[in-house]
Amino acid sequence: MCHRAKTAFFAAALVLETVLLAGTGLGAETVFRQSVMAEMRYDSNAGIEPESLRPESDYAFTLFPRFDLSQDRGGINLALFYRPGGSFYFRNPDLNTVSHFAGIDAGLMVSETTGLKASDRFNYTKDMREADPNAVQTMRTGTTTNEVKAELTHEPAPGLSAKAVLSRRTLEFENRALVGTRVDGFGLSAAKAVREGLTLNANYMFSGFSFDTGSSSESHSLLAGFEAGLTRNTSLNASVGAVSSPDADRDRYDFSAATELTSVFNDSSLGLGYSRSVSNSSGLADLMSLNSRYTFRYSYNLSNETGMTFTGGYSRALSRPDAVIDMTTYDAGLSISWRPSDRFSANAGYRRSKQRSHGTIGTDMGRDNIFVSLDFVPFERRL
């Protein structure tokens, strides 16, 4: 996609958000909600350092106030939020930091069959895992992500839908040893309900990668699949295809997939997933990365107010066209939640992750986290 076309597309996305913002200002129901989360956390690798440096552990207290504002007027809706955060470390006060997370979502139903959506997400943190839980861990440094997305959906006939998506995501680091990335994306997808419990789908995605070193690259992904109810409790959403990316003087084709198996019972649910796609290399180099990930999730309701969740995952990131980055990550977690009301919840959990580098770039790193948090809503008002 040429630069002029990209500029026009993203200008249109900005105009769309402006129109939607203006349209929700009159005669709309407005809800303002303020919540606070307080968390006490143990981190075995507070400085996010490689194992060779014998990282130190620490305890941190974090406060996350959050402010939400939403408006809904017929076929027009708007939602905004802002969540700052302050983390205070007991042993290493030089690690104290402030984070920022903000977003906006806007939607407009043009007709009964056509809708527009626009969204923006901004995140600043010194722990990349807060911005992307599945990202390769590099070092503790200021990390800024911003993602703008615009969607057009249309249903030309019952059971048939189409979607066009335009997105731009930027990743920037305060430490100049890491490589910032901008990813411009354009996607087309279609879905057709063949019969009850079975839907066929197809998806095309273009991704253009621009690195702050001055280099650039691109990829094209094509997937086809289905979503089916296998039993009364179990469904399967599976898509497979290919992704092409440059390799020397030719295109390289790799297998790509997005698969999820879900089972829901009276008191529990089980989810198994597998995905394989192209992304950036988390700042390690000006290269694209072919990422494969397996996931496991099991949730069990101990009572109407209490539940527990087990999670696990295995990831591999392999850089393209040169395999100088070859990272594997194992992670597992257990969390327990108690929610006696809509305005209060308590959570506790443990997560362990282990990262191993098998290439020439990257480091071995491990982290254990234990946390206890309280989340409450002191104020909510309809205007």
Side-chain angles (χ1 to χ4, degrees):
M1 185 183 299
C2 70
H3 176 73
R4 182 175 298 177
K6 292 177 185 176
T7 302
F9 272 126
F10 287 104
L14 180 60
V15 170
L16 171 61
E17 286 204 39
T18 303
V19 170
L20 296 180
L21 284 170
T24 55
L26 301 174
E29 181 185 51
T30 303
V31 179
F32 177 73
R33 179 184 178 96
Q34 195 262 315
S35 60
V36 179
M37 187 184 81
E39 180 185 77
M40 189 71 178
R41 181 178 72 254
Y42 164 80
D43 193 335
S44 67
N45 189 350
I48 314 180
E49 297 176 320
E51 292 181 349
S52 59
L53 297 180
R54 297 184 179 180
E56 295 184 22
S57 62
D58 205 341
Y59 297 87
F61 174 75
T62 304
L63 198 62
F64 291 111
R66 175 167 171 147
F67 307 91
D68 290 83
L69 180 67
S70 62
Q71 290 185 334
D72 192 352
R73 182 169 65 93
I76 305 175
N77 58 76
L78 170 70
L80 307 94
F81 73 87
Y82 172 55
R83 192 210 67 182
S87 297
F88 308 91
Y89 287 81
F90 286 61
R91 298 173 181 169
N92 301 281
D94 57 314
L95 296 180
N96 293 351
T97 184
V98 174
S99 62
H100 303 275
F101 184 34
I104 178 172
D105 294 285
L108 170 66
M109 288 302 299
V110 180
S111 67
E112 293 184 355
T113 59
T114 304
L116 294 172
K117 291 182 180 180
S119 64
D120 192 359
R121 291 289 184 274
F122 172 86
N123 197 342
Y124 172 81
T125 177
K126 290 196 173 181
D127 185 349
M128 188 184 294
R129 198 165 62 182
E130 293 182 5
D132 184 355
N134 302 320
V136 172
Q137 298 292 286
T138 52
M139 63 179 68
R140 183 182 178 85
T141 185
T143 304
T144 301
T145 61
N146 189 56
E147 182 172 12
V148 181
K149 183 181 293 185
E151 295 183 5
L152 170 65
T153 59
H154 181 59
E155 297 182 4
L160 178 63
S161 63
K163 179 190 295 186
V165 180
L166 184 72
S167 64
R168 169 172 288 180
R169 187 175 191 271
T170 57
L171 174 64
E172 299 176 341
F173 304 96
E174 291 180 357
N175 191 316
R176 306 311 300 173
L178 298 175
V179 180
T181 311
R182 188 189 76 209
V183 184
D184 295 320
F186 175 71
L188 295 172
S189 62
K192 170 63 177 176
V194 179
R195 56 178 173 79
E196 184 178 359
L198 177 61
T199 300
L200 303 181
N201 55 68
N203 177 278
Y204 164 78
M205 188 70 191
F206 163 84
S207 299
F209 298 81
S210 301
F211 304 98
D212 60 14
T213 58
S215 63
S216 62
S217 190
E218 65 181 45
S219 69
H220 301 264
S221 174
L222 183 62
L223 294 171
F226 64 90
E227 182 175 356
L230 304 182
T231 66
R232 184 166 59 91
N233 301 318
T234 303
S235 62
L236 176 63
N237 190 342
S239 297
V240 296
V243 56
S244 68
S245 55
D247 187 357
D249 58 347
R250 62 183 179 86
D251 286 340
R252 179 189 180 98
Y253 291 89
D254 291 288
F255 165 72
S256 62
T259 304
E260 184 176 13
L261 177 69
T262 305
S263 293
V264 179
F265 306 99
N266 291 334
D267 297 320
S268 63
S269 64
L270 172 67
L272 301 174
Y274 170 71
S275 63
R276 183 178 168 95
S277 61
V278 168
S279 181
N280 61 67
S281 56
S282 301
L284 291 175
D286 53 353
L287 297 170
M288 296 186 301
S289 175
L290 184 63
N291 298 334
S292 301
R293 180 162 176 80
Y294 300 85
T295 58
F296 164 83
R297 181 183 181 89
Y298 176 74
S299 298
Y300 181 76
N301 296 324
L302 301 173
S303 67
N304 291 334
E305 302 173 348
T306 308
M308 62 175 10
T309 301
F310 300 88
T311 60
Y314 166 80
S315 303
R316 185 186 183 190
L318 187 65
S319 60
R320 291 286 189 261
D322 300 317
V324 294
I325 300 173
D326 187 357
M327 309 285 293
T328 55
T329 303
Y330 307 83
D331 58 86
L334 166 65
S335 62
I336 300 176
S337 62
W338 177 54
R339 190 179 182 88
S341 71
D342 292 337
R343 293 195 169 219
F344 177 80
S345 65
N347 302 273
Y350 167 75
R351 181 183 179 184
R352 177 177 178 81
S353 63
K354 204 77 170 178
Q355 177 178 289
R356 289 288 177 262
S357 174
H358 309 284
T360 57
I361 298 178
T363 58
D364 295 344
M365 191 178 297
R367 293 181 75 179
D368 293 275
N369 292 116
I370 302 173
F371 70 91
V372 177
S373 65
L374 302 176
D375 196 340
F376 59 98
V377 181
F379 181 83
E380 181 175 333
R381 184 176 180 181
R382 296 181 180 272
L383 306 176

